[in-house]
């Protein structure tokens, strides 16, 4: 049946679009263009506008050049064409930026406008919009100043001027532009005032944004857009209760309470041809909201000549086909902050080296309960079962363990080095504050009270963090749990690292930078006191960035300095790596993304290190034992561990994933491996996470994995 009534077809197409079924509306309009030869300019332009609204960019990119070649557009039609071109180019620029192709995005922004007349204010505004989309604020500012020289009362350009200054990091200039704009706005210009509040929020001028929105609320108390923006301001300021109140008011005004269902029965069916009336279709099966790739098989053909969209699966009468409203999405986002959960995991860390000393085979089984504390964060309690096995110390290695080199043992070797214990902790983790307090290794020869407090904040686009902490050293059984000397029964080891640290991070254009510093004291039972300085800085960039995936390259420089070298296992040493200088260059590559219910992360890095370790006595805390070691030692280095320079090349790999099995249950895990000449650990961790409230948001990426308390 030919479809020849353009007004009726447009009405039905709009009906399908209102039900978020754009493919049905497009199919109908496409059939009309096929049936009516030649199609009118208005019909062709309307089809292009539908493609634009549906973001069917491949098809639009084919269809648009044909329209641009028509010489008979009137001024109004040309303005519509310009708007469609600009929308398409803005999306193309966004995709280029997501792939890290900034230069290409700026090139496209500079030449994308075709239909506009050179020098027209509408053309200049379109160019300005695209330059701002491409983050080329410098070029945008030049055009905006030219526009305002001729049209000083153009409000849209004044708003864009403020946005361009904000994008360039010129906060004071942006505020001055806003101050010049506000007196020019009409009392009922709600949209522009809302745009100003968004910009003020972006500039972190919360009081200024709140003042404007308060006036808007007084004059527009029943405007959902105003209420939603008021809620977003409060949410940005972490005033979640106030934000929820605004969002709930907006939800009531939107007239789409959660119980309301919109179905395909609501679509108007018009008799386009009295001789061939349209009958109600047989709704049999569900239909997805968006059909991708229309007319992409042969991009050399025009869209009008492309075969019609294949038969469309039909929609069940009672199927819910609408998306959540803006208010519903905002409410869900905030309420998700109050989700309680339980995590159970199993970790296995293996490192093969010298049995009884540096070999490490450990398991940790954490059980963690999280409960909401307001909307700002969650409290937690950790209970972890820990087991560490370093193997059996043989006769050959015994002289370099405990006091066995100078004191005999009443028991014959081998000496088993194995411990079991329990770690417990409680704490809180929120947006800007994290603290915890606990005990590591209940049942170990040495138990340590641990904990910390971390405060983070942001000011002038710079992120800051300060932390005070006390943490276990899990390098070896000796450093983590402590152990008993086979010769005398004395206990030594169990190192705790107590320190303070800080971090600063800032983004310069496309580059993320950071610098951190840390200083602390390492103390253990019957172990030589030590201290540590750690400095780290780095830069990274997303070379590919899409909605559900990104790839990042980085460069990191690290420096450590320990006062003492306590890498050994004789009495008085701590059994942890502690060079007097350590400098490394690290080149990491990260790939993270999500697909459906799966999120994933792969991180690989290559490193180059330069180290120096000083010569150390066998028994640094006991002069009598050291004297005996010197007397009974060899002729090469009597009673001392040799020092010297070292280093080399290494690499590491981390693989992590999480899968949302059901709305309440997720399973995840990670595997880490490091490889250097003398350090080859493998760590595997798997976990289950149970959510008491059903999870409805897209899965997070990269995955936020659970962890044992010893790695907090």
């Amino acid at each position: 049946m030919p479809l020849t009534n353009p007004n009726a077809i447009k009405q039905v197409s709009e009906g399908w679009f209102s039900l978020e079924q754009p493919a049905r509306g497009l199919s109908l309009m496409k059939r009309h263009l096929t049936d009516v030869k030649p199609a009118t300019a208005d019909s062709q332009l309307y089809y292009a506008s539908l493609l634009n609204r549906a973001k069917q960019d491949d098809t639009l990119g084919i269809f648009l050049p044909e329209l641009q070649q028509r010489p008979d557009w009137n001024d109004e039609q040309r303005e519509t064409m310009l708007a469609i071109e600009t929308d398409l180019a803005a999306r193309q620029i966004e995709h280029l930026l997501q792939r890290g192709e900034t230069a290409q995005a700026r090139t496209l922004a500079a030449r994308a406008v075709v239909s506009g007349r050179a020098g027209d204010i509408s053309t200049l505004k379109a160019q300005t919009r695209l330059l701002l989309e491409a983050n080329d604020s410098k070029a945008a500012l030049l055009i905006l100043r030219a526009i305002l020289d001729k049209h000083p009362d153009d409000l849209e350009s004044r708003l864009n001027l403020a946005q361009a200054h904000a994008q360039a990091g010129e906060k004071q200039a942006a505020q001055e532009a806003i101050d010049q704009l506000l007196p020019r706005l009409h009392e009922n210009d709600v949209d522009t005032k809302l745009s100003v509040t968004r910009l003020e929020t972006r500039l972190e001028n919360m009081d200024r944004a709140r003042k404007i929105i308060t006036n808007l609320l007084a004059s527009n108390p029943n405007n959902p857009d105003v209420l939603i923006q008021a809620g977003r301001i409060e949410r940005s300021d972490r005033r979640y209760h106030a934000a929820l109140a605004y969002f709930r008011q907006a939800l009531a005004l939107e007239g789409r309470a959660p119980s309301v269902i919109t179905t395909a029965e609501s679509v108007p069916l018009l008799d386009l041809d009295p001789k061939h009336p349209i009958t109600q279709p047989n709704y049999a099966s569900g239909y997805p909201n968006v059909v991708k790739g229309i007319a992409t098989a042969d991009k050399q053909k025009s869209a009008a000549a492309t075969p019609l969209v294949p038969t469309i699966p039909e929609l069940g009468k009672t199927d819910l086909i609408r998306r959540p409203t803006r208010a519903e999405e905002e409410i869900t986002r905030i309420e998700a902050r109050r989700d309680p959960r339980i995590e159970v995991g199993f970790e296995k860390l293996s490192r093969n080296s010298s049995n009884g000393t540096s070999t490490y085979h450990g398991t940790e089984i954490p059980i963690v309960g999280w409960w909401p504390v307001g909307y700002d964060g969650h409290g937690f309690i950790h209970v972890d079962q820990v087991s560490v096995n370093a193997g059996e110390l043989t006769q050959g290695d015994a002289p370099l363990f405990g006091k066995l080199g100078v004191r005999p043992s009443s028991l014959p070797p081998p000496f088993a080095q194995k411990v079991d214990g329990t770690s417990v902790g409680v704490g809180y983790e929120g947006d800007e504050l994290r603290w915890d307090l606990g005990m590591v290794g209940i049942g170990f020869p040495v138990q340590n009270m641990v904990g910390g407090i971390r405060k983070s904040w942001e000011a002038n686009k710079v992120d800051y963090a300060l932390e005070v902490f006390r943490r276990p050293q899990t390098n070896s059984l000796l450093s983590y749990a402590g152990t008993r000397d086979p010769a005398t029964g004395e206990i030594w080891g169990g190192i705790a690292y107590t320190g303070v640290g800080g971090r600063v991070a800032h983004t310069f254009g496309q580059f993320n930078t950071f610098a951190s510093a840390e200083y602390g004291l390492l103390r253990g039972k019957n172990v030589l006191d030590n201290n540590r300085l750690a400095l780290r800085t780095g830069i990274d960039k997303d070379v590919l960035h899409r909605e559900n995936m990104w790839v990042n390259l980085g460069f990191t420089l690290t420096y450590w300095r320990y006062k003492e070298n306590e890498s050994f296992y004789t009495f008085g040493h701590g059994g942890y790596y502690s060079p007097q200088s350590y400098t490394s260059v690290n080149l990491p590559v990260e790939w993270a993304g999500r697909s459906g219910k799966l999120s994933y992360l792969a991180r690989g890095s290559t490193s180059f290190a330069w180290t120096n370790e000083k010569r150390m006595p066998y028994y640094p805390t006991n002069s009598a034992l050291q004297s005996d070691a010197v007397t009974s030692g060899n002729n090469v280095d009597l009673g001392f561990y040799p020092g010297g320079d070292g280093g080399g090349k290494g690499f590491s790999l981390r693989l992590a994933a999480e899968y949302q099995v059901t709305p309440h249950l997720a399973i995840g895990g990670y595997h880490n491996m490091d490889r250097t000449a003398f350090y080859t650990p493998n760590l595997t961790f798997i976990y289950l996470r149970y959510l008491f409230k059903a999870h409805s948001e897209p899965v997070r990426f990269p995955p936020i994995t659970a962890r044992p308390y010893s790695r907090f």
Side-chain angles (χ1 to χ4, degrees):
M1 177 196 69
L3 303 180
T4 59
N5 186 334
N7 291 330
I9 290 169
K10 289 179 182 179
Q11 184 179 355
V12 177
S13 296
E14 288 295 333
W16 283 118
F17 266 75
S18 69
L19 288 175
E20 299 177 1
Q21 295 294 311
R24 289 175 178 259
L26 284 168
S27 178
L28 189 65
M29 194 65 201
K30 187 178 182 66
R31 183 177 172 187
H32 169 68
L33 295 181
T34 303
D35 289 348
V36 178
K37 297 292 187 179
T40 66
D42 274 341
S43 293
Q44 288 184 317
L45 191 57
Y46 179 69
Y47 180 58
S49 71
L50 291 183
L51 290 171
N52 182 47
R53 288 160 59 185
K55 300 181 181 179
Q56 295 286 346
D57 291 346
D58 289 338
T59 308
L60 182 58
I62 298 169
F63 190 63
L64 203 54
E66 294 186 7
L67 301 188
Q68 291 166 340
Q69 292 172 10
R70 292 187 65 131
D72 56 344
W73 298 116
N74 60 38
D75 289 343
E76 183 180 354
Q77 290 170 332
R78 193 174 296 279
E79 289 292 319
T80 302
M81 180 75 72
L82 178 61
I84 294 172
E85 286 179 0
T86 306
D87 288 345
L88 175 61
R91 291 192 293 271
Q92 293 170 336
I93 288 168
E94 180 183 4
H95 294 154
L96 288 170
L97 292 176
Q98 289 175 348
R99 295 197 296 267
E101 300 174 12
T102 304
Q104 294 89 328
R106 293 186 174 184
T107 299
L108 177 59
R111 61 173 176 79
V113 177
V114 174
S115 296
R117 293 187 175 92
D120 280 2
I121 187 171
S122 58
T123 304
L124 294 174
K125 286 182 179 182
Q127 291 175 336
T128 298
R129 176 190 167 190
L130 296 180
L131 290 168
L132 290 175
E133 291 281 354
N135 296 319
D136 193 353
S137 56
K138 183 177 180 181
L141 284 167
L142 292 175
I143 297 176
L144 286 166
R145 291 186 181 114
I147 293 174
L148 290 170
D149 283 343
K150 294 182 178 180
H151 308 277
D153 293 325
D154 188 86
L155 303 181
E156 180 184 352
S157 295
R158 287 201 172 274
L159 177 61
N160 286 335
L161 180 68
Q163 292 172 335
H165 282 303
Q167 189 178 94
E170 301 167 355
K171 182 175 180 179
Q172 185 61 40
Q175 290 176 344
E176 291 174 359
I178 292 172
D179 291 339
Q180 293 172 8
L181 169 63
L182 287 174
R184 290 176 161 87
L185 296 180
H186 297 295
E187 183 67 26
N188 60 351
D189 192 350
V190 176
D191 290 341
T192 304
K193 290 180 180 180
L194 287 175
S195 296
V196 172
T197 64
R198 296 185 190 103
L199 183 55
E200 293 281 23
T201 304
R202 176 182 167 190
L203 294 169
E204 299 177 347
N205 297 327
M206 306 309 294
D207 290 339
R208 289 167 59 105
R210 195 172 280 112
K211 180 179 179 181
I212 297 170
I213 206 69
T214 299
N215 292 333
L216 284 173
L217 287 168
S219 57
N220 301 270
N222 296 320
N223 187 321
D225 293 335
V226 174
L227 289 165
I228 286 174
Q229 183 57 23
R232 287 172 176 169
I233 292 170
E234 300 303 329
R235 187 197 65 203
S236 297
D237 213 18
R238 291 184 296 277
R239 300 168 67 167
Y240 299 109
H241 289 284
L244 280 171
Y246 285 123
F247 292 142
R248 286 170 179 151
Q249 289 181 58
L251 178 61
L253 290 169
E254 284 174 335
R256 292 176 66 178
S259 60
V260 175
I261 295 177
T262 305
T263 68
E265 292 175 297
S266 308
V267 179
L269 292 175
L270 303 180
D271 289 343
L272 306 183
D273 184 341
K275 295 182 180 180
H276 300 89
I278 294 179
T279 58
Q280 184 77 16
N282 177 24
Y283 299 105
S285 59
Y287 174 68
N289 283 342
V290 178
V291 174
K292 298 182 179 179
I294 298 176
T296 58
D298 185 357
K299 295 191 178 182
Q300 300 305 314
K301 299 181 180 180
S302 73
T306 307
L308 291 177
V309 177
T311 303
I312 302 172
E314 295 179 342
L315 185 68
K317 289 186 177 181
T318 59
D319 285 350
L320 180 64
I321 62 175
R322 73 168 180 84
R323 296 178 181 175
T325 66
R326 291 174 300 159
E328 287 171 335
E329 289 178 341
E330 295 288 357
I331 291 169
T332 299
R333 187 176 295 120
I334 292 179
E335 290 296 346
R337 301 178 62 86
R338 291 182 52 80
D339 289 351
R341 63 188 186 272
I342 292 178
E343 297 169 337
V344 180
F346 177 84
E347 178 190 274
K348 183 173 179 60
L349 174 60
S350 297
R351 183 179 68 241
N352 293 318
S353 188
S354 299
N355 282 343
T357 55
S358 53
T359 288
Y360 191 108
H361 296 288
T363 62
E364 301 204 23
I365 304 174
I367 301 175
V368 195
W370 299 82
W371 64 91
V373 179
Y375 289 98
D376 294 299
H378 286 74
F380 66 84
I381 181 168
H382 253 278
V383 179
D384 299 5
Q385 294 298 314
V386 185
S387 178
V388 182
N389 189 345
E392 294 184 336
L393 186 69
T394 62
Q395 183 68 43
D397 293 326
L400 295 180
F401 185 82
K403 301 179 183 179
L404 291 174
V406 292
R407 298 289 186 269
S409 171
S410 59
L411 298 174
F415 304 106
Q417 294 295 303
K418 184 178 184 303
V419 295
D420 296 288
T422 303
S423 298
V424 297
V426 296
Y428 169 84
E429 190 163 336
D431 293 335
E432 295 186 337
L433 179 67
R434 186 187 79 182
W435 64 264
D436 71 288
L437 182 66
M439 180 73 73
V440 167
I442 300 171
F444 285 178
V446 179
Q447 303 168 16
N448 273 305
M449 184 75 74
V450 296
I453 183 169
R454 177 186 175 92
K455 172 67 176 177
S456 58
W457 69 98
E458 189 266 344
N460 297 322
K461 306 299 182 182
V462 180
D463 294 315
Y464 299 91
L466 287 176
E467 183 175 14
V468 178
F469 57 86
R470 178 178 169 86
R471 302 295 176 201
Q473 291 293 99
T474 60
N475 305 63
S476 66
L477 181 147
L478 175 62
S479 68
Y480 190 3
T483 191
R484 193 175 297 274
D485 174 42
T488 64
E490 283 189 84
I491 292 172
W492 91 106
I495 312 300
Y497 177 41
T498 306
V500 60
R503 189 176 189 274
V504 179
H506 183 58
T507 298
F508 295 93
Q510 302 176 59
F511 295 92
N512 307 307
T513 62
F514 77 93
S516 65
E518 189 177 282
Y519 180 80
L521 307 177
L522 294 112
R523 300 290 186 266
K525 186 176 181 66
N526 293 320
V527 173
L528 180 67
D529 290 348
N530 206 352
N531 58 51
R532 176 182 187 258
L533 172 68
L535 304 174
R536 196 163 179 257
T537 188
I539 185 170
D540 65 80
K541 175 188 176 183
D542 287 349
V543 295
L544 179 64
H545 194 114
R546 297 178 180 172
E547 182 181 0
N548 294 312
M549 187 264 286
W550 50 255
V551 177
N552 181 278
L553 298 180
F555 173 88
T556 305
L557 178 65
T558 302
Y559 175 76
W560 298 342
R561 187 189 71 195
Y562 290 81
K563 180 181 179 182
E564 306 292 350
N565 181 10
E566 299 194 37
S567 306
F568 313 106
Y569 296 86
T570 44
F571 197 86
H573 281 281
Y576 60 94
Y577 184 56
S578 46
Q580 279 49 75
S581 70
Y582 172 94
T583 304
S584 75
V585 172
N586 194 291
L587 304 172
V589 180
E590 285 191 345
W591 172 38
R594 63 185 170 198
S595 177
K597 298 179 181 180
L598 175 71
S599 62
Y600 55 86
L601 168 72
R603 184 183 191 276
S605 67
T606 299
S607 62
F608 302 87
W610 299 266
T611 68
N612 176 267
E613 298 176 68
K614 74 177 184 180
R615 179 173 178 259
M616 288 294 293
Y618 280 7
Y619 302 101
T621 60
N622 191 309
S623 58
L625 293 175
Q626 180 60 21
S627 177
D628 291 345
V630 170
T631 302
S632 60
N634 57 51
N635 294 323
V636 178
D637 205 348
L638 301 179
F640 285 85
Y641 296 105
D645 295 328
K649 180 180 178 181
F651 71 88
S652 65
L653 177 68
R654 177 181 174 89
L655 302 173
E658 182 174 298
Y659 185 77
Q660 193 75 35
V661 181
T662 73
H664 291 278
L665 182 66
I667 183 170
Y670 56 83
H671 178 76
N672 296 349
M673 58 180 289
D674 290 279
R675 293 295 183 267
T676 64
F678 303 102
Y679 185 67
T680 60
N682 294 289
L683 186 150
T684 301
F685 183 68
I686 59 173
Y687 62 90
L688 292 173
R689 177 183 293 122
Y690 181 80
L691 305 170
F692 287 90
K693 295 183 180 179
H695 179 83
S696 59
E697 297 290 303
V699 294
R700 298 173 296 185
F701 80 97
I704 301 176
T705 60
R707 55 184 168 172
Y709 188 49
S710 62
R711 304 188 187 283
F712 198 78

